[in-house]
Structure formats: C-alpha cells, structure tokens
C-alpha cells in the first residue's frame, strides 16, 4: 500500500479522535457533553409547545355515507327528536347525525348480519322491520320523502322549516299520514328515532354521545370495569368511563 495512503488514514483517525474527545460525545460509551445541544436546535421546544397549544381536531367527524344535504336533514330531524334543553345538549351537539352516518356505512346499514332472503312475511311489531330493503336504502327513501312532504305541505325544504313545522312533518310520518309506496312512513320514523337514541347514548367510540354528555345527563357510569368499591354504599354518581379510558389497563 502506498505510504501517502497510510499517512492519510492516520491523519483522519487522529482527527476523529480529537473531535470526539474535545466534544465529549464519547466518554465510556455514553453520549454526554455539550455537542448534543448544538446538534438539536432550540426551536424544537418551541415546536412542542406550539403543538400542545393547538386545538385538537376530531377527524372522526366526516361523512361516510350521507350526502351533505342528507346529513343536514338528519341533523335537523334528530335535533327535533332529541332537542337541547336545560338538562344538556341535543342530538346535534352530541354528534348523533355522524353516528347514524357511520352506522349506515357499515354492517348495520347493509343488514349484513341478518337473513335477507325471500320469502318475506309481514312481521309483528315486536319483530321490527321485515323485508328485502336494507337500512341505508330505507334512509335514502325516507329522507327523500321527508323532503317531498315538506315541499308539498310548506313549500320549503325540511331544513328551512321552523321547529314547529319540522315537528309537524315528523309527526305525519310517525302517524302514517304520508303514503309511501316502498316503505312504511312510521317504520322509517321509528328507525330514525331509535337511531337517534342509540347515537345519544352509545359509547363515544361510535361518533355519538360526544364527550359522554349523553351519559352525564342520565348519571350513567358508562363502561366501568368493576363496582366493588361502591356496591355496598348508597347511590353515588360515578363519573362515566368510555372504552377509550381502558387503554393501558
């Protein structure tokens, strides 16, 4: 090997050792000294503080099935079924319309866990809906007819009606005063009402019951892991716990 090459390697080795020794990076195999401080910019701390100060966005609040128009109708209709009052928020602030939208986009909307093959017979009221039309299709038809009835009766879109007028339209559906050829008007209203209550009181995991406010209004404890510490005591209001709160247990 040429002599000048050996000398170059020795010089590079000495240069590295001198740098490591003077910087304090290599000492007993540990990273110490002030070199790390010079390698990490001071602005990192500022960035962390800025991130903490930013408002946390809930990216679950996005539509998965409804159109924008359908969503606004559901939001308005569910608010009339479960309105805000002195006891707490209504369906809109609880995120019920998002809950219904997300449910319709999945197994529930497709009736994927139910037998959907003919022959179909008219079921008893306690059996719920019996037929070939899936829930997402029932909502599509029901919302379209809700809009049509609003235009026929009040010459306005459902979302533009007053609260009293919206109540009147929904009551017509609940009492089967609207003739629909494909589905039952009262059947659609019953499904809408049931979904509204489910969205208000389900675990927040499913996009409804925002901040567990539905549970708080009912003093419902949510998903507690045990009641052994209170079962022998008088009734005590327990702060609700969601499924998310069990992470790490």
């Amino acid at each position: 090997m040429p002599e000048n090459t050996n000398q170059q390697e020795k010089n590079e080795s000495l240069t590295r050792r001198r740098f490591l020794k003077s910087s304090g990076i290599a000492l007993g195999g540990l990273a110490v000294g002030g070199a790390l401080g010079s390698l990490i910019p001071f602005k990192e701390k500022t960035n962390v503080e800025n991130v903490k100060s930013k408002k946390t966005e809930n990216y679950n609040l996005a539509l998965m099935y409804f159109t924008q128009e359908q969503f606004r109708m559901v939001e308005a209709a569910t608010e009339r079924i479960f309105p805000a009052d002195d006891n707490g928020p209504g369906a809109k602030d609880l995120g019920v319309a998002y809950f219904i939208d997300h449910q319709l986009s999945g197994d529930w909307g497709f009736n994927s866990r139910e037998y959907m093959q003919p022959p179909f017979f008219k079921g008893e009221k306690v059996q719920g809906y019996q037929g070939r039309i899936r829930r997402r299709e029932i909502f599509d038809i029901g919302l379209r007819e809700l809009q049509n009835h609003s235009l026929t009766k009040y010459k306005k879109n459902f979302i533009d009606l007053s609260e009293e007028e919206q109540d009147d339209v929904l009551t017509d559906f609940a009492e089967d005063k609207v003739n629909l050829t494909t589905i039952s008007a009262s059947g659609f209203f019953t499904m809408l009402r049931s979904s509204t209550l489910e969205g208000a009181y389900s675990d927040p995991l499913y996009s409804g019951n925002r901040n567990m406010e539905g549970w708080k209004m009912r003093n419902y404890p949510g998903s507690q892991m045990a009641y052994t510490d209170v079962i022998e005591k008088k009734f005590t209001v327990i702060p609700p716990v969601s499924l998310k709160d069990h992470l790490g247990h």
Side-chain angles (χ1 to χ4, degrees), residues 56-209:
T56 302
E57 296 290 343
N58 186 349
Y59 293 100
N60 271 349
L61 302 184
L63 299 184
M64 301 174 69
Y65 180 72
F66 287 142
T67 65
Q68 293 285 344
E69 182 183 16
Q70 287 176 323
F71 176 78
R72 288 191 290 269
M73 289 182 65
V74 171
E75 199 170 50
T78 55
E79 182 68 18
R80 297 313 306 145
I81 294 171
F82 196 100
D85 57 20
D86 294 338
N87 295 316
K92 182 177 181 178
D93 288 335
L94 289 173
V96 167
Y98 287 106
F99 167 83
I100 297 174
D101 170 76
H102 295 184
Q103 291 298 305
L104 289 175
S105 71
D107 290 346
W108 187 77
F110 281 106
N111 298 67
S112 60
R113 298 185 180 183
E114 299 167 32
Y115 186 78
M116 297 290 290
Q117 300 299 320
F120 297 102
F121 300 98
K122 185 176 181 180
E124 300 295 330
K125 288 186 177 181
V126 294
Q127 292 178 302
Y129 172 73
Q130 305 286 313
R132 62 169 57 86
I133 303 178
R134 294 179 173 86
R135 290 188 184 92
R136 52 169 40 198
E137 296 166 340
I138 292 175
F139 266 85
D140 287 343
I141 297 168
L143 292 174
R144 184 178 67 240
E145 296 300 335
L146 195 70
Q147 180 77 309
N148 289 338
H149 188 58
S150 300
L151 291 170
T152 300
K153 192 167 187 176
Y154 292 107
K155 312 301 180 186
K156 290 186 290 186
N157 294 325
F158 180 79
I159 60 174
D160 296 326
L161 300 178
S162 66
E163 292 181 351
E164 292 75 15
E165 291 170 340
Q166 288 177 344
D167 289 347
D168 188 38
V169 169
L170 291 171
T171 300
D172 286 348
F173 270 71
E175 297 177 355
D176 268 326
K177 293 181 180 179
V178 185
N179 294 322
L180 306 183
T181 58
T182 314
I183 63 173
S184 161
S186 62
F188 167 67
F189 176 81
T190 298
M191 186 176 293
L192 178 62
R193 182 181 182 277
S194 297
S195 302
T196 300
L197 296 178
E198 289 168 8
Y201 297 122
S202 65
D203 191 277
L205 169 68
Y206 303 102
S207 303
N209 188 19

Side-chain angles (χ1 to χ4, degrees), residues 9 24 32 37 62 83 123 155 158 171 200 208 211 216 240:
E9 290 177 351
V32 296
K155 312 301 180 186
F158 180 79
T171 300
N211 298 323
K216 292 173 184 177

Side-chain angles (χ1 to χ4, degrees), residues 217-232:
M217 285 189 283
R218 294 284 184 175
N219 291 328
Y220 179 68
S223 177
Q224 299 285 336
M225 298 188 75
Y227 295 93
T228 52
D229 56 336
V230 296
I231 197 169
E232 300 293 339

